[in-house]
Amino acid sequence: MSDKTANRKPTGYWSQVARDGKRMGWWFILPTVLLLLFIVVFPLLMQVYLSLTWWTPLDGIPWYRAYEGFIWFEQYGVLLSDGRFWGAIWRTLFFMLVAVPIEFLLGLGLAYLFIDNFPGRKIFYSILLTPMMVVPAVVGLMFFLLFQGTGPINDNLGLPATFSWLTDVNRAMIAVIIADIWQWTPLMFLILLAGMLGVPPDQLLAAKLLGGSNWQNFFKIILPRIKTVVIIVIVLRSVESFKVFDLIYIMTKGGPGVQTQTISIYLYKLTFGDLEWAYVAAIGLTILFVLSVIAARGLSYMARKRS
Amino acid sequence: MKTLSSALVLKYFFVLLATGVVLYPLIWMTTMAFKPYPEWTTVSGLSWLPLNPTLQNFEFIFYGKAEGLVVSLDRTIAGPLTASLITSIFGTIIAVVFGTLSSYAVVRFGLAQSLPLSVLQLRLFPPLAVMIPVMVMWAFIGAVDTWWGLSLIYGIVTLPFAFWLMKTFFEEVPIEIEDAARVCGCSYWRVFYKIALPIVKPGLATCALFVFILNWSDYLLALLLTQKEWVTLPVYMATLTSAMGGQMYGMKAALGVIAAIPPVVFGLMIQKHLVRGLTFGALKQ
């Protein structure tokens, strides 16, 4: 692919031409690089700087004079003993570790049903994909409406209107997880199905003729063949569910109390409720650092596996 | 007459069950948009179809008042709808133009091989963990609550998708065609503009629609970087309650329906390429 051009060693006239091409290539890349510098390098430096102060926009001091409140790593010390922070991290992980596996299993099962053709397959396929295209904020609204005490879920389940979901200490988390599963199982379904359709059909047929049961086919042939796809979807969904905000914020605002307060919602409340921007910067940097380490580890692991 | 095997019956059972689960919330919200106040809850009995269908909810959000309603709205849907459209479109243009140019250079000339991964990193972090400096910067350059400020951040956060999508499309263009044109004396720019670009045109359209959906679906960035003038549809929808004091279920549902339609329509249009887009080109259908 790209190596094809990169590795070709042009000579004489063609090297001149290739040089012209590369020059244009750099012009093509320049805007993107500038944009990345603008949004990564400068903000990152600013975030490091702010996280070492107690600056808040409330003081009326502009950000570049935040050094007046320089306190070294005190914010990071606060973070370590901040119960609300660790609670939010724990709830985010809980949310992720419950929602993603359920989405995966449901998506896997559904995808398996759609390998073979059956009447109406195309229509059902389109319908089942719809949830992931709906704006997440709107999904939040839909489930907010459904989970009202006087909403249809209670009515269908024969529960009284006083049976609350979104304002109940235990059930609020269940409700937001259900909403997340509703929205993102289709993504698992879509991608896993694409992976399964890539398994050569003759292989499945051969296995069937040799007397393999459906279960055996599934576990011995399909699953090993789509291993990469499985890793991709799980990483993809884990990253996204760690970021979750829209859905929960619209359904419960993180409540009742802090029962559904994930890390994004906690940061949002610190940003706009308490205006503790320096502290948010410190938390943000910590998250940035941890996620980068995990990502780097993951990438090197994959590279090692491939070689 | 045994035409339906038990396996097929079982399959239909699960497929229909899943379809029902998918449609349940969608139908409730859509019909809610056409229901008058007394039917918003199940207090007087559950009904999936509006007993007294009305356009009152839509009338209310479009005109700020509706017949038979005491309350009125100081801000109609017009502003947020325009804001959503303008910022999504400009954000899409930024992402697609930058992504197309840079991915072409990476694919064709083998330049900046670390760019793909650096671009991808933009998607790794929770936006709120990195937004403080962006908000400070945006305030500093006067970009908060402007159409270009929001468009710019949209363009940046969706650039990874545009870049990786276009990268896979360019990789599919046979290099022989471009080489042939070059031998015939075409300049590199002409080869890009007259040959590569027309070949990836369908890909370009797919990419634009995909990125538009992502921008249109944003809630958080608009919440952080707009205040009043350029509040987008999802933010407006969420604030409808607090502004009015009461729960305006019907009006919110009407807004939800309006906000949900474009991405669903576009998404179904590019259904074939969704896998590619969502996995950053790692998988194709």
PDB file of all heavy atoms in Angstrom, chain A residues 302-307:
ATOM      1  N   MET A 302       0.450  -5.558  20.930  1.00  0.00           N
ATOM      2  CA  MET A 302      -0.065  -5.998  19.634  1.00  0.00           C
ATOM      3  C   MET A 302       1.058  -6.139  18.618  1.00  0.00           C
ATOM      4  O   MET A 302       1.071  -7.071  17.818  1.00  0.00           O
ATOM      5  CB  MET A 302      -1.097  -4.993  19.134  1.00  0.00           C
ATOM      6  CG  MET A 302      -2.343  -5.002  19.990  1.00  0.00           C
ATOM      7  SD  MET A 302      -3.881  -5.043  19.085  1.00  0.00           S
ATOM      8  CE  MET A 302      -3.831  -3.565  18.144  1.00  0.00           C
ATOM      9  N   ALA A 303       1.991  -5.194  18.653  1.00  0.00           N
ATOM     10  CA  ALA A 303       3.117  -5.253  17.713  1.00  0.00           C
ATOM     11  C   ALA A 303       3.943  -6.512  17.947  1.00  0.00           C
ATOM     12  O   ALA A 303       4.381  -7.169  17.006  1.00  0.00           O
ATOM     13  CB  ALA A 303       3.988  -4.007  17.878  1.00  0.00           C
ATOM     14  N   ARG A 304       4.132  -6.861  19.229  1.00  0.00           N
ATOM     15  CA  ARG A 304       4.912  -8.043  19.552  1.00  0.00           C
ATOM     16  C   ARG A 304       4.182  -9.303  19.069  1.00  0.00           C
ATOM     17  O   ARG A 304       4.771 -10.211  18.524  1.00  0.00           O
ATOM     18  CB  ARG A 304       5.140  -8.115  21.065  1.00  0.00           C
ATOM     19  CG  ARG A 304       6.579  -8.525  21.408  1.00  0.00           C
ATOM     20  CD  ARG A 304       6.837  -8.464  22.899  1.00  0.00           C
ATOM     21  NE  ARG A 304       6.132  -7.387  23.557  1.00  0.00           N
ATOM     22  CZ  ARG A 304       5.442  -7.561  24.690  1.00  0.00           C
ATOM     23  NH1 ARG A 304       5.348  -8.744  25.232  1.00  0.00           N
ATOM     24  NH2 ARG A 304       4.844  -6.537  25.264  1.00  0.00           N
ATOM     25  N   LYS A 305       2.853  -9.280  19.264  1.00  0.00           N
ATOM     26  CA  LYS A 305       2.066 -10.443  18.858  1.00  0.00           C
ATOM     27  C   LYS A 305       2.140 -10.666  17.356  1.00  0.00           C
ATOM     28  O   LYS A 305       2.192 -11.790  16.887  1.00  0.00           O
ATOM     29  CB  LYS A 305       0.598 -10.214  19.258  1.00  0.00           C
ATOM     30  CG  LYS A 305       0.230 -10.865  20.569  1.00  0.00           C
ATOM     31  CD  LYS A 305      -0.914 -11.799  20.320  1.00  0.00           C
ATOM     32  CE  LYS A 305      -1.042 -12.901  21.302  1.00  0.00           C
ATOM     33  NZ  LYS A 305      -2.458 -13.219  21.551  1.00  0.00           N
ATOM     34  N   ARG A 306       2.116  -9.560  16.617  1.00  0.00           N
ATOM     35  CA  ARG A 306       2.085  -9.671  15.169  1.00  0.00           C
ATOM     36  C   ARG A 306       3.400 -10.232  14.625  1.00  0.00           C
ATOM     37  O   ARG A 306       3.426 -10.965  13.658  1.00  0.00           O
ATOM     38  CB  ARG A 306       1.792  -8.306  14.547  1.00  0.00           C
ATOM     39  CG  ARG A 306       1.275  -8.402  13.130  1.00  0.00           C
ATOM     40  CD  ARG A 306       0.807  -7.060  12.613  1.00  0.00           C
ATOM     41  NE  ARG A 306      -0.347  -6.547  13.334  1.00  0.00           N
ATOM     42  CZ  ARG A 306      -0.712  -5.270  13.321  1.00  0.00           C
ATOM     43  NH1 ARG A 306      -0.012  -4.397  12.650  1.00  0.00           N
ATOM     44  NH2 ARG A 306      -1.771  -4.873  13.980  1.00  0.00           N
ATOM     45  N   SER A 307       4.519  -9.877  15.272  1.00  0.00           N
ATOM     46  CA  SER A 307       5.813 -10.298  14.726  1.00  0.00           C
ATOM     47  C   SER A 307       6.157 -11.726  15.131  1.00  0.00           C
ATOM     48  O   SER A 307       5.503 -12.365  15.902  1.00  0.00           O
ATOM     49  CB  SER A 307       6.910  -9.357  15.196  1.00  0.00           C
ATOM     50  OG  SER A 307       7.011  -9.428  16.608  1.00  0.00           O
TER      51      SER A 307
END
